[in-house]
Amino acid sequence: MNIIPNIEIRHSACPHDCPSTCALDVERLDAHTIGRVRGAKDNSYTAGVICAKVARYAERIHHPDRLLHPMRRVGEKGGTDFQRISWDDAMDEVAEGLLKAEQRHGPEAVWPYYYAGTMGLVMRDGIHRLRHAKGYSGMYDTICTALSWSGFMAATGTLRGPDPREMAKSDLVVIWGTNPVHTQVNVMTHAMKARKDRGAKVAVIDVYNNASVQQADIGIVLKPGTDAALACAIMHVLFRDGHANWRYMEEYADCPKGLEAHLKTRTPEWAGAITGIPVDEIEAFAKLIGETPRTYLRLGYGFCRSRNGAANMHAATCIATVTGAWEHEGGGAFHTNGAVYHWNKTLIEGLDVRNEDMRYLDQSRIGPVLLNDPYDIGDGPPVDAIFIQNTNPVSVCPEQEKVKQGFARDDLFVCVHEQFMTETACMADIVLPATMFLEHDDVYQSGGHQHIVLGAKVVEAPGECRSNHDVICDLASRVGASHEGFTRTPRELIDATLQASSWGTIDDLEENRWIDCQPEFDRSHFKDGFRTPDKKFHFRADWKAVKFRPYNKGSYGPVDDMPEFPDFWNVIEEADAKHPFRMTTSPARSFLNSTFNETPSSIEKEGGRPELFMHPDDMAPLGLSTGDAIRIGNERGEVRLHVKAYDGVRRGVVIAESIWPNDAFEDGKGINTITSADQPAPSGGGAFHDNHVWVRAA
């Protein structure tokens, strides 16, 4: 009786901040309702597999707590006292707030702020069209990729590599600095296929015995921020024991003899003392790499989220060149395929009206920016108005106390366009209800593979929800911004962008569902040379020449101190007598940043409350047992949560799987209260896994 006949299957793509960007098959039950969400079996990367949280997406899109109407704050900032208003009244007030800030201090006093709540090119990046048309302040988007991309580009000159599907053709898959069981499950799909079909070994390197390490043949657990030391010791053994591919290096690398000489003292014993890994484990792992030509290094983001993150990425990437693994199908090093798409996003982003001299404010330092720190705003005006889409900075940004203080300014106008009443929305003067990805048209590119995927509208949005594009275009008309992109529908923008980028038309994409953009083998494996000026892979990094973004006008952080050759660069926030532990904020399985932490099933699967994983031998001297309430802190603040004994971490290391909502913590202070907004070299970025802390019973 309850079976719905003839369920219609629609096609889409996962919009969330995950490199897998899965192709989806969605059950459409009626014009307003979806059922199950599944991975597309005929997509060669998704291969029918998606994460459990997206499979349960009906729970999120039909959540009773979704924002449905525009609202005006009538209570204190940070509270939930809002009243419903009309869209016209809401947009009039938003426009007035932005125009008043512009009248006081010029257009740079307005900061459109966004990130990766959706990865759709239209709904995520359209905010730039408003920014450029008005001359508002730019946003330097450092929070996620600045460190990892800089490290990979310092070696290869670009952001691409061997076809990710080649993991299934490898004899050794090394998953380094990412926990794909939690964050990009398709990596495990292809790695496990190599194990099943070829008898390949799967190795996972991480800072605790997480779900991916537990599925590996070889699990290596090291101390946070020490990955470059392990990489150097591996290469030391490769040179020492005759596994270095001199023929390959002499043709494709810049200075192999210099690297060999540099690594003479980077022994397994040296690395063992730094990383905590037993010397025999390092020796055995290096030997396995040396004896396995088809070694595929799948390099993640996690091991780059420290002050030496770019150096960690560079060092790990170098291993594939010492062995010549790039020569083989199923070999080489891969981080992201962002450079294969050659987009022309002029119409989406308004690049034709961008002021080359616009100021850029660091996304990761939103707290200091809003507190008018001279380091951040220099001689420019203060930010007096901020318009936010696709992100929740009051939860996800470092130095949370400063972020809250900045948003609490009485003279700061805040508009937040959101799906739920997040911590950031609670700080807003005006809150606007946003659509979810199945309620609008968009187009997506993957970082973790090589497909462009269309995400066409599947169901109608509830209440008065409007898409990012619709809100941006409406706001543009009210603040006097003019650009052709404001007159186009999302489908028209997608079609024009595809054609301008030589990817055909939207009709072609709709018919074929996706485009496979992977370059041919020789190009993917750099047989025609790397994309550095001299076509060589760079063991010797020119860090000042690395441009994370084309508009970078210089480097950030202590770039002059960065190691020229791969090395352990000891600028991490070391434990000390006052802060005897090192903490990482590793990703939880059922949350994605602060997304999904509002759905009951995800909360239940994560245990119902935030916990700190701690080695039992570290707990005993503190008189702690599993379930005890604790405080954890440093010079940036303190957080209250509960402790859980876990012998899968090294002593002196604690893990806070996150990001829980701030109000899930006893005092309303989220885990990013104690993470740092320092700007690591060479490009800035979020050092979320690089924190010294103390731990005490509550």
Side-chain angles (χ1 to χ4, degrees):
M1 291 289 292
N2 295 323
I3 295 174
I4 300 174
N6 302 318
I7 293 175
E8 183 182 4
I9 302 299
R10 294 286 188 91
H11 307 302
S12 190
C14 180
H16 290 290
D17 189 9
C18 163
S20 287
T21 317
C22 292
L24 304 177
D25 293 335
V26 182
E27 293 180 351
R28 184 181 187 269
L29 305 186
D30 58 43
H32 301 276
T33 314
I34 69 164
R36 290 282 298 174
V37 178
R38 298 179 176 86
K41 291 182 179 179
D42 47 346
N43 181 279
S44 58
Y45 188 77
T46 302
V49 178
I50 60 171
C51 67
K53 51 188 173 283
V54 173
R56 303 190 301 269
Y57 212 84
E59 179 184 21
R60 186 167 194 272
I61 196 170
H62 303 309
H63 198 295
D65 293 339
R66 275 193 68 175
L67 296 174
L68 300 178
H69 310 286
M71 294 186 295
R72 177 196 296 124
R73 181 172 56 83
V74 294
E76 295 295 320
K77 282 192 174 185
T80 57
D81 194 0
F82 287 78
Q83 68 177 193
R84 178 177 172 180
I85 58 175
S86 70
W87 264 103
D88 270 343
D89 286 348
M91 295 304 292
D92 281 346
E93 292 192 27
V94 175
E96 182 182 7
L98 272 54
L99 288 169
K100 282 185 175 179
E102 182 178 354
Q103 289 162 6
R104 285 194 299 270
H105 298 295
E108 288 186 338
V110 179
W111 195 17
Y113 190 95
Y114 81 107
Y115 204 50
T118 177
M119 299 292 278
L121 303 191
V122 174
M123 300 301 167
R124 181 191 64 192
D125 300 333
I127 195 171
H128 293 307
R129 192 183 331 116
L130 179 65
R131 183 194 315 278
H132 296 148
K134 283 293 294 180
Y136 294 152
S137 282
M139 192 191 81
Y140 183 40
D141 54 331
T142 57
I143 202 166
C144 181
T145 58
L147 289 161
S148 58
W149 288 9
S150 297
F152 196 84
M153 287 191 292
T156 66
T158 190
L159 289 171
R160 59 175 172 81
D163 190 330
R165 294 166 294 195
E166 288 182 29
M167 281 184 283
K169 301 177 181 180
S170 176
D171 295 324
L172 173 61
V173 181
V174 179
I175 299 169
W176 197 326
T178 182
N179 178 8
V181 171
H182 284 197
T183 61
Q184 42 179 321
V185 66
N186 309 86
V187 169
M188 299 305 289
T189 299
H190 295 279
M192 294 306 171
K193 189 174 189 303
R195 175 196 279 172
K196 179 180 178 182
D197 294 350
R198 302 177 58 84
K201 298 294 185 184
V202 177
V204 177
I205 303 168
D206 215 309
V207 295
Y208 69 122
N209 185 25
N210 56 39
S212 298
V213 174
Q214 290 163 19
Q215 292 193 23
D217 301 292
I218 302 157
I220 297 176
V221 175
L222 76 175
K223 295 178 181 177
T226 66
D227 302 79
L230 173 60
C232 287
I234 289 169
M235 291 186 284
H236 170 95
V237 173
L238 296 174
F239 280 111
R240 183 196 70 193
D241 294 352
H243 296 303
N245 189 331
W246 284 99
R247 173 190 54 78
Y248 181 83
M249 287 189 291
E250 286 169 355
E251 181 175 356
Y252 287 100
D254 59 346
C255 47
K257 290 190 181 299
L259 177 65
E260 181 187 32
H262 169 74
L263 294 173
K264 286 285 188 184
T265 59
R266 274 55 175 182
T267 64
E269 290 76 14
W270 167 84
I274 295 168
T275 64
I277 305 169
V279 172
D280 59 345
E281 282 189 31
I282 298 174
E283 289 276 5
F285 186 50
K287 182 175 185 289
L288 179 62
I289 290 175
E291 294 176 349
T292 311
R294 293 179 190 268
T295 293
Y296 193 108
L297 291 148
R298 181 58 176 87
L299 305 173
Y301 290 94
F303 76 131
C304 301
R305 292 191 173 127
S306 68
R307 290 166 178 78
N308 60 3
N312 290 339
M313 173 63 80
H314 177 254
T317 307
C318 288
I319 295 171
T321 303
V322 173
T323 65
W326 303 99
E327 291 188 301
H328 307 285
E329 186 177 35
F334 179 86
H335 174 55
T336 181
N337 245 344
V340 306
Y341 299 105
H342 52 77
W343 288 113
N344 180 345
K345 294 197 287 184
T346 299
L347 198 58
I348 291 175
E349 297 190 11
L351 297 176
D352 50 339
V353 294
R354 182 170 70 90
N355 180 358
E356 296 294 330
D357 295 322
M358 71 188 299
R359 78 163 175 181
Y360 284 88
L361 302 172
D362 189 339
Q363 169 194 32
S364 298
R365 290 184 55 80
I366 185 173
V369 167
L370 295 182
L371 292 175
N372 300 325
D373 191 318
Y375 174 84
D376 297 280
I377 67 171
D379 297 329
V383 171
D384 277 1
I386 186 166
F387 175 79
I388 298 174
Q389 290 182 323
N390 311 327
T391 189
N392 181 15
V394 178
S395 175
V396 305
C397 284
E399 296 187 10
Q400 187 179 106
E401 287 302 290
K402 289 184 179 179
V403 179
K404 290 177 178 177
Q405 291 166 21
F407 272 96
R409 282 171 39 201
D410 289 334
D411 62 337
L412 176 70
F413 176 80
V414 180
C415 175
V416 176
H417 187 200
E418 250 296 356
Q419 298 162 347
F420 293 92
M421 186 55 77
T422 64
E423 295 90 341
T424 307
C426 288
M427 289 288 193
D429 297 284
I430 298 292
V431 176
L432 305 174
T435 52
M436 292 190 184
F437 77 105
L438 295 172
E439 299 161 355
H440 55 239
D441 296 312
D442 214 335
V443 66
Y444 305 86
Q445 70 171 56
S446 170
H449 53 97
Q450 65 294 313
H451 289 99
I452 295 170
V453 188
L454 182 67
K457 181 177 177 178
V458 174
V459 291
E460 298 298 325
E464 298 181 87
C465 295
R466 293 186 183 178
S467 74
N468 289 3
H469 174 74
D470 288 342
V471 170
I472 289 291
C473 293
D474 186 350
L475 186 56
S477 69
R478 296 170 191 259
V479 297
S482 177
H483 190 272
E484 181 185 357
F486 296 128
T487 68
R488 303 287 190 96
T489 66
R491 288 185 65 88
E492 289 170 340
L493 286 175
I494 295 166
D495 188 47
T497 301
L498 287 167
Q499 293 190 55
S501 308
S502 301
W503 291 121
T505 68
I506 191 172
D507 291 337
D508 299 331
L509 182 55
E510 196 153 35
E511 180 179 355
N512 298 316
R513 297 183 58 191
W514 46 71
I515 304 169
D516 188 337
C517 305
Q518 186 68 41
E520 69 280 0
F521 179 89
D522 284 0
R523 183 171 172 81
S524 298
H525 287 254
F526 300 105
K527 290 218 166 195
D528 55 347
F530 289 87
R531 290 303 174 262
T532 54
D534 59 4
K535 300 286 189 180
K536 301 285 189 180
F537 182 97
H538 281 194
F539 290 135
R540 178 182 279 129
D542 184 357
W543 293 110
K544 288 186 177 180
V546 174
K547 297 299 179 188
F548 166 60
R549 291 298 187 201
Y551 52 74
N552 277 26
K553 292 183 170 60
S555 302
Y556 297 83
V559 66
D560 290 331
D561 299 332
M562 294 191 74
E564 185 179 39
F565 283 109
D567 211 344
F568 170 57
W569 186 34
N570 192 12
V571 291
I572 58 177
E573 194 169 78
E574 291 275 21
D576 56 31
K578 190 174 180 180
H579 310 89
F581 300 100
R582 297 253 302 142
M583 180 192 75
T584 74
T585 57
S586 303
R589 185 169 188 170
S590 298
F591 302 153
L592 203 169
N593 302 322
S594 68
T595 304
F596 296 99
N597 67 16
E598 70 284 315
T599 55
S601 64
S602 290
I603 294 169
E604 180 183 2
K605 289 178 182 298
E606 292 302 320
R609 66 185 184 188
E611 294 180 321
L612 186 77
F613 295 175
M614 192 173 190
H615 198 284
D617 292 344
D618 285 332
M619 292 169 59
L622 299 174
L624 296 175
S625 301
T626 290
D628 285 352
I630 59 168
R631 294 181 296 139
I632 177 172
N634 54 28
E635 60 270 31
R636 294 177 285 274
E638 68 175 64
V639 175
R640 292 173 178 263
L641 67 170
H642 293 79
V643 71
K644 182 177 182 177
Y646 188 59
D647 61 7
V649 295
R650 295 204 174 275
R651 291 204 60 185
V653 176
V654 294
I655 308 291
E657 290 189 338
S658 49
I659 298 173
W660 284 87
N662 294 348
D663 63 10
F665 296 82
E666 182 179 327
D667 55 3
K669 296 179 179 180
I671 198 66
N672 282 312
T673 300
I674 53 179
T675 59
S676 170
D678 287 356
Q679 284 185 318
S683 304
F688 292 103
H689 300 339
D690 187 2
N691 310 281
H692 64 201
V693 295
W694 48 257
V695 178
R696 298 168 190 160

